[in-house]
Amino acid sequence: MIIFPDLPNVEVEGVEGAEEIILTLRTTSPTASCPSCGTASSRLQSRYTRALRDLPSVGHSIRLIMHVRRFFCKKSTCAQKIFVERLPELCHPHAQRTKRLQKALCELGLKIGGQAGADVGSELGISGSRDTILRLVRQSHPSAQSAPHIIGLDDWARKRRLRYGTLICDLELGLPIDLLPDRSVETVSAWLLKHPSIKVVSRDGSSEYASAIQKGAPQARQVSDRWHLVKNLAACVSVQLTQSLTQLRRVEQAEANALDEQQPSPERQSHPRTRGSETRATRSSSGANGSLRADDGTPIARDEKPGDCGSHGHGTTNRSAMA
């Protein structure tokens, strides 16, 4: 298993492994070149120890202990009398991290930002704070890029709601290209005129960007970027769902009102009667609608009493006889 790459004029003296892997290294070159005048020197002045952080291996962080040397410069006119031998393949002067570790942190900063890069790096075992990542991003020198063909335009806030600029990104490489001081038609179109290779421009719904693209890059095809497209789609769906929900509620309310009109109200419903009350009601209705009858079934007039025997004449005769 290779923990540390094979570098020229660097020798591994010892390895200590626990939660952290510690490698002890020393240089083997008999001479070193002065960084100021470039004169090679073999006159040793002293030695000192230098500590470096490297990329993790098999889940363990790696720390390098470098034993480097100081030399006297042989050139009498050189302003730097004593210099330290350099390790250009391994690290930069005065750096606390190897070049490959700095490159990994810089890539994290370019891809996902300072704080997010620090969080992801901590999970991966890569040491580096947010400030360190942002400093490495600012110090990085992007390689020469070809002319952009597909770009994205969006605004960025210098001071929210007061001052805005324009961010231009190469969508093929996923890297920012330029920052413009404002988002006016003149500024954006002037930048586009300097880059005639542009074929596709992704933008938001700004009418200023549309006019700038039409003026500065008429050959380019304008498309909506994914974020604003999804945002507009979500807004339209939200409005449609709100309207549909309102209509459904109206229909449910109308159905409920119609059902209430069909059912009688509790005040209009008659209460159940007892058998005795029903019998009395039947008798009263029969007496009101039909004629009264005597015990032998003979009908009796309404103004006659059931106790009378026959007509009024018969009653008079009986009373006369009794007298």
Side-chain angles (χ1 to χ4, degrees):
M1 180 179 63
I2 299 176
I3 299 178
F4 186 77
D6 187 13
L7 297 178
N9 301 322
V10 176
E11 184 180 71
V12 179
E13 288 187 336
V15 179
E16 298 178 8
E19 295 182 358
E20 182 183 46
I21 300 176
I22 301 176
L23 300 179
T24 303
L25 310 175
R26 69 178 183 89
T27 57
T28 58
S29 176
T31 61
S33 299
C34 177
S36 297
C37 62
T39 304
S41 175
S42 59
R43 294 179 57 192
L44 184 63
Q45 194 266 347
S46 61
R47 300 176 183 268
Y48 79 101
T49 302
R50 184 177 178 183
L52 296 171
R53 290 284 182 180
D54 197 14
L55 286 174
S57 177
V58 294
H60 297 275
S61 59
I62 296 180
R63 185 157 58 98
L64 306 179
I65 304 298
M66 291 289 304
H67 294 292
V68 294
R69 299 166 294 178
R70 295 186 179 95
F71 290 87
F72 290 105
C73 183
K74 290 184 178 181
K75 192 172 183 179
S76 59
T77 58
C78 181
Q80 189 168 356
K81 302 300 181 180
I82 300 174
F83 64 90
V84 178
E85 59 183 339
R86 304 298 172 90
L87 303 170
E89 300 86 1
L90 182 61
C91 61
H92 295 288
H94 312 291
Q96 298 179 356
R97 296 171 179 85
T98 61
K99 284 186 175 180
R100 59 178 188 172
L101 178 56
Q102 288 184 346
K103 182 179 179 181
L105 291 174
C106 185
E107 291 293 332
L108 285 175
L110 290 173
K111 295 294 183 181
I112 58 178
Q115 186 60 53
D119 296 339
V120 173
S122 178
E123 295 178 359
L124 298 176
I126 302 176
S127 63
S129 65
R130 177 191 63 181
D131 296 335
T132 299
I133 292 176
L134 295 179
R135 176 173 52 81
L136 293 174
V137 169
R138 288 192 293 267
Q139 293 176 353
S140 64
H141 301 284
S143 57
Q145 301 175 359
S146 59
H149 300 285
I150 303 176
I151 65 170
L153 295 179
D154 202 355
D155 52 12
W156 61 282
R158 290 178 176 269
K159 190 173 183 180
R160 188 173 296 275
R161 298 181 182 179
L162 293 178
R163 292 190 303 166
Y164 288 86
T166 299
L167 171 65
I168 304 177
C169 297
D170 189 332
L171 299 184
E172 291 181 307
L173 301 177
L175 296 175
I177 300 177
D178 204 350
L179 289 175
L180 303 183
D182 54 54
R183 52 183 179 182
S184 63
V185 176
E186 293 75 13
T187 302
V188 178
S189 60
W191 189 93
L192 293 173
L193 286 172
K194 297 178 182 178
H195 301 80
S197 61
I198 296 174
K199 298 180 180 178
V200 178
V201 179
S202 174
R203 63 173 180 85
D204 57 10
S206 173
S207 59
E208 294 183 350
Y209 285 156
S211 302
I213 297 170
Q214 187 64 32
K215 182 179 179 180
Q219 78 284 356
R221 180 182 179 185
Q222 301 185 34
V223 298
S224 178
D225 63 77
R226 185 184 304 174
W227 189 87
H228 287 92
L229 186 63
V230 173
K231 179 184 177 182
N232 296 337
L233 176 61
C236 294
V237 171
S238 178
V239 172
Q240 185 63 34
L241 290 178
T242 302
Q243 294 177 354
S244 300
L245 183 59
T246 303
Q247 294 177 359
L248 289 175
R249 288 177 176 174
R250 290 176 180 175
V251 172
E252 292 178 356
Q253 186 65 32
E255 292 178 353
N257 295 337
L259 186 61
D260 292 342
E261 292 177 358
Q262 292 177 1
Q263 293 181 354
S265 61
E267 292 79 2
R268 297 180 181 179
Q269 293 181 357
S270 58
H271 297 283
R273 299 175 178 177
T274 62
R275 183 173 298 178
S277 61
E278 291 179 355
T279 304
R280 287 193 298 271
T282 304
R283 289 178 180 177
S284 62
S285 62
S286 299
N289 299 328
S291 61
L292 298 177
R293 295 180 181 274
D295 294 339
D296 57 356
T298 304
I300 302 175
R302 289 181 178 277
D303 53 354
E304 295 181 357
K305 298 179 180 180
D308 296 340
C309 296
S311 62
H312 294 284
H314 292 161
T316 305
T317 303
N318 292 336
R319 286 194 293 272
S320 300
M322 292 178 64

